[in-house]
Amino acid sequence: MAEMITGAEGLIKSLLAEGVDLVFGYPGGAIISVYDKLYDYQDKLHHILVRHEQGAVHAAQGYARISGRPGVVIVTSGPGAANVVTGLSDALMDSTPLVVISGQVASDNLGTDAFQEIDVVAMTQQITKWAIQIRRAEDIPAAVARAFYIASTGRPGPVVLDIAKDAQVGLMEWTHKTCEFIRSYNPEPEIELNDVQEVADLINNAQRPLIFSGHGVAIANAEKELYDLAEMGNIPVTATLLGLSTMDSYNPNYKGMLGMHGNIGPNIATDKADVILAIGMRFDDRVTGDTSKFAKNAKIIHVDIDSSELNKNVKVFKAINADAKAFLKDLLPLIKPNRHEDWNSLIDDCYMVEYSEVIKDEVSPKSGKMKMGEVVEFVTTAVRRGAICVTDVGQNQMFAARYFKFTAPKSFISSGGLGTMGFGLPAAIGAAMAAPDRTVCLFVGDGGLQMTIQELGTIMEHPVAVKIILLNNNFLGNVRQWQTLFFHSRYSQTQMLNPDFVALAGAYGIPGEDVTSRDDLPAAIDRMLSYDGTYLLNVDIDATDLIFPMIPAGGSVDNIMLSPDKKFSF
């Protein structure tokens, strides 16, 4: 006879059977039975008590993005479940696998507006891959197995299991069977070999080929195949924001980042390419700008595991519904060696202009207050290879993306599609727990840090080593930049009166220091990196520092701004 246990214990045992050893969460009345049973499994299932449910989801995202395994979150009903909505939305847009478990009132109280009742499934269906309410204990194991399968296969994403109180306390016969198939769900589309040959012919005959490397390359662990393809055909590679670190920053085939604040060369190359191979990316508006002018000379080949992304934002010449790694493996034997020397030289020449007009003064200013670019440059030259760069959202995000050097796969974590301020600190905690042997550098602004600053308490209770580089300009910097450029410098509600961040970190037992002079910056960075634990650098940044180049929203590559009053010409 099978073992009779409660639904709460069945949930814990099902998580363990799926290989889970770490969860993030916050207890409450509707999930207390699960937490009571968790008490008996503390040696097998490590629970991280965060300080806010949003912090739990973002931490789980950071953990998932580095480990490649679904992050797991446990919260209570009502406000606890409502507080995970931002993180679920973020995870769906950025294809991050999560399993979020929420408590719910007892089945006979559903629909009565019981204390802390909220319709979690209705609230989350539009921001998850799957959301289900469980009212019987015996349904828990199969739902957990199905949740992990859905979250981690195909295009990854978040799922929600909303478990009623009576399902948690009811008895069940526990068995677990891993889910490997769901009717009508096809996470591994078949690749047509004729399509692969057609793509190979297009690339082999191209004079100006270009590769867009998106987040899907990282998700599929296809970095080696990307490298081999670029090497074989000497094809320039450019990355989307979340595609950063899919290729080593020092690789000569890597030309930088695409998009609004991307490098000039890749954006100009997009306009001049005759064939573009876009892998695992979704043609976000921050990449395309004005779609009527985007890549107008190129035959675009779009490879994505999510068929709904194909021909959605940009109409392409060839749409391939496939896993990035599987497709590249089939493509590589068909690619002929090539050099494309003039084509690569054109892109490299664009970089020289960008270096002269923008980068040089940003990373090596001669006077004035410190700039974000120089801080990132100092940090990236001081860290050892394989460091992980985590960012919040805003100018800190764009400067880190532009100037941090990536030397290993899965080295960049940021909120891309949703642009969630407050993402950075908890995501860095999750990343550090997933990879305790790697240096984790968090670049964050004073606005974003204060949105989830309570998670310093999580670090105090569960020590990790996060190197927090606070780029502090006492402004909501990105909004201030737009006010400067497009709203006649009318700084409405963007200046911030900030606390003593070093003293605040100290209250949580975290050392730190204020850095007000660039002469003091290198030594401060060395102290931060050599400290065995979390350390905060509060760096005094020039509030007038702006991130360039910039293509204004809805613009195109014929409108690349190098400064407020100068455009790129080549």
Side-chain angles (χ1 to χ4, degrees):
M1 182 176 177
E3 181 183 7
M4 294 295 291
I5 59 174
T6 65
E9 187 170 8
L11 174 63
I12 302 297
K13 290 172 73 71
S14 295
L15 292 175
L16 292 170
E18 291 290 340
V20 178
D21 56 10
L22 181 72
V23 299
F24 302 88
Y26 206 96
I31 197 71
I32 195 168
S33 296
V34 171
Y35 273 88
D36 179 66
K37 189 50 63 176
L38 182 63
Y39 189 87
D40 298 330
Y41 287 86
Q42 294 178 78
D43 59 332
K44 297 179 180 178
L45 190 58
H46 187 40
H47 181 277
I48 304 300
L49 178 64
V50 296
R51 298 314 189 248
H52 190 282
E53 291 89 351
Q54 182 179 349
V57 187
H58 294 329
Q61 287 179 271
Y63 177 85
R65 295 263 285 271
I66 293 299
S67 70
R69 301 162 60 192
V72 180
V73 174
I74 304 177
V75 297
T76 194
S77 62
N83 283 340
V84 304
V85 166
T86 297
L88 289 171
S89 304
D90 196 286
L92 185 70
M93 293 194 74
D94 287 353
S95 307
T96 305
L98 298 179
V99 175
V100 175
I101 298 159
S102 60
Q104 184 55 274
V105 301
S107 299
D108 56 2
N109 284 333
L110 290 169
T112 68
D113 291 331
F115 179 66
Q116 292 192 335
E117 180 194 1
I118 193 170
D119 191 340
V120 173
V121 173
M123 182 174 65
T124 61
Q125 275 182 327
Q126 299 302 311
I127 52 173
T128 58
K129 286 186 73 175
W130 185 52
I132 188 172
Q133 187 175 87
I134 304 169
R135 302 183 186 183
R136 303 189 311 167
E138 57 263 38
D139 295 335
I140 289 175
V144 171
R146 188 181 180 101
F148 276 85
Y149 179 64
I150 292 173
S152 59
T153 56
R155 180 179 180 176
V159 301
V160 167
L161 302 178
D162 186 48
I163 307 179
K165 273 188 174 182
D166 42 327
Q168 299 172 39
V169 299
L171 293 177
M172 56 172 285
E173 292 184 359
W174 187 80
T175 58
H176 183 84
K177 182 179 180 181
T178 302
C179 181
E180 297 177 344
F181 172 79
I182 298 174
R183 191 177 59 166
S184 78
Y185 175 58
N186 180 26
E188 298 180 3
E190 292 186 9
I191 301 171
E192 296 289 340
L193 295 182
N194 288 339
D195 288 339
V196 181
Q197 184 63 62
E198 184 179 349
V199 171
D201 291 342
L202 286 167
I203 293 173
N204 288 332
N205 293 318
Q207 299 300 308
R208 299 179 302 281
L210 183 64
I211 296 173
F212 291 174
S213 180
H215 191 199
V217 173
I219 293 170
N221 298 310
E223 292 91 350
K224 182 181 185 303
E225 288 76 13
L226 173 68
Y227 169 85
D228 290 343
L229 175 61
E231 187 77 8
M232 178 67 71
N234 197 29
I235 304 171
V237 176
T238 177
T240 65
L241 178 67
L242 296 189
L244 293 173
S245 81
T246 53
M247 181 166 277
D248 191 309
S249 297
Y250 297 101
N251 188 306
N253 288 312
Y254 179 67
K255 305 301 181 184
M257 185 173 70
L258 274 171
M260 177 179 283
H261 290 298
N263 296 100
I264 292 174
N267 284 322
I268 293 296
T270 299
D271 193 51
K272 296 184 179 299
D274 58 0
V275 171
I276 293 175
L277 176 60
I279 313 169
M281 52 90 72
R282 58 189 180 85
F283 292 103
D284 177 76
D285 61 287
R286 289 295 174 95
V287 164
T288 65
D290 183 352
T291 54
S292 69
K293 297 181 179 179
F294 179 76
K296 55 185 179 292
N297 298 307
K299 291 180 178 178
I300 301 176
I301 305 153
H302 187 191
V303 180
D304 204 285
I305 200 164
D306 183 356
S307 61
S308 70
E309 292 294 347
L310 302 173
N311 287 308
K312 183 178 80 173
N313 297 330
V314 172
K315 301 302 179 185
V316 301
F317 182 80
K318 187 69 178 178
I320 307 288
N321 182 205
D323 171 78
K325 189 181 188 75
F327 179 81
L328 289 176
K329 277 189 171 182
D330 287 347
L331 179 65
L332 275 167
L334 305 178
I335 297 299
K336 298 177 181 178
N338 212 323
R339 298 313 306 159
H340 300 297
E341 293 176 351
D342 291 343
W343 174 229
N344 277 278
S345 293
L346 182 147
I347 302 172
D348 293 340
D349 288 346
C350 290
Y351 175 80
M352 297 309 297
V353 174
E354 181 177 348
Y355 181 83
S356 175
E357 296 289 341
V358 176
I359 297 173
K360 182 179 179 181
D361 289 339
E362 180 62 41
V363 301
S364 302
K366 301 299 183 184
S367 61
K369 296 183 72 173
M370 283 178 285
K371 296 189 175 186
M372 293 190 186
E374 69 173 308
V375 177
V376 177
E377 184 79 2
F378 268 116
V379 172
T380 198
T381 55
V383 296
R384 65 179 185 266
R385 292 181 65 85
I388 297 170
C389 172
V390 184
T391 83
D392 206 79
V393 168
Q395 284 182 317
N396 63 87
Q397 176 187 38
M398 293 296 104
F399 276 110
R402 282 181 53 81
Y403 295 112
F404 199 87
K405 300 298 187 295
F406 303 101
T407 56
K410 293 179 177 57
S411 295
F412 183 71
I413 300 177
S414 192
S415 171
L418 198 63
T420 304
M421 291 180 66
F423 173 89
L425 178 58
I429 293 170
M433 290 180 173
D437 57 331
R438 298 176 67 184
T439 302
V440 176
C441 296
L442 167 64
F443 295 94
V444 62
D446 43 304
L449 180 60
Q450 292 182 85
M451 286 194 171
T452 50
I453 198 167
Q454 72 279 347
E455 299 310 327
L456 292 176
T458 303
I459 295 175
M460 179 176 64
E461 185 166 349
H462 304 279
V464 290
V466 176
K467 310 307 178 183
I468 305 171
I469 303 98
L470 172 54
L471 302 173
N472 188 351
N473 57 11
N474 294 285
F475 266 94
L476 299 177
N478 213 41
V479 184
R480 185 189 190 280
Q481 172 156 339
W482 283 51
Q483 289 172 332
T484 299
L485 298 176
F486 311 120
F487 292 89
H488 309 290
S489 297
R490 291 159 56 89
Y491 301 123
S492 176
Q493 303 303 313
T494 46
Q495 189 167 10
M496 303 190 75
L497 179 62
N498 286 325
D500 184 334
F501 287 107
V502 172
L504 190 55
Y508 288 100
I510 297 170
E513 57 185 293
D514 296 309
V515 184
T516 59
S517 167
R518 64 172 46 90
D519 292 337
D520 299 331
L521 183 62
I525 290 172
D526 286 343
R527 285 190 291 272
M528 175 187 70
L529 294 176
S530 62
Y531 181 75
D532 185 21
T534 294
Y535 197 97
L536 173 85
L537 287 190
N538 178 38
V539 186
D540 187 18
I541 296 295
D542 183 355
T544 66
D545 193 15
L546 304 179
I547 178 77
F548 288 106
M550 180 179 186
I551 301 176
S556 60
V557 296
D558 56 6
N559 190 28
I560 299 176
M561 301 174 66
L562 300 176
S563 69
D565 53 7
K566 187 173 183 179
K567 293 183 180 180
F568 172 76
S569 60
F570 181 72

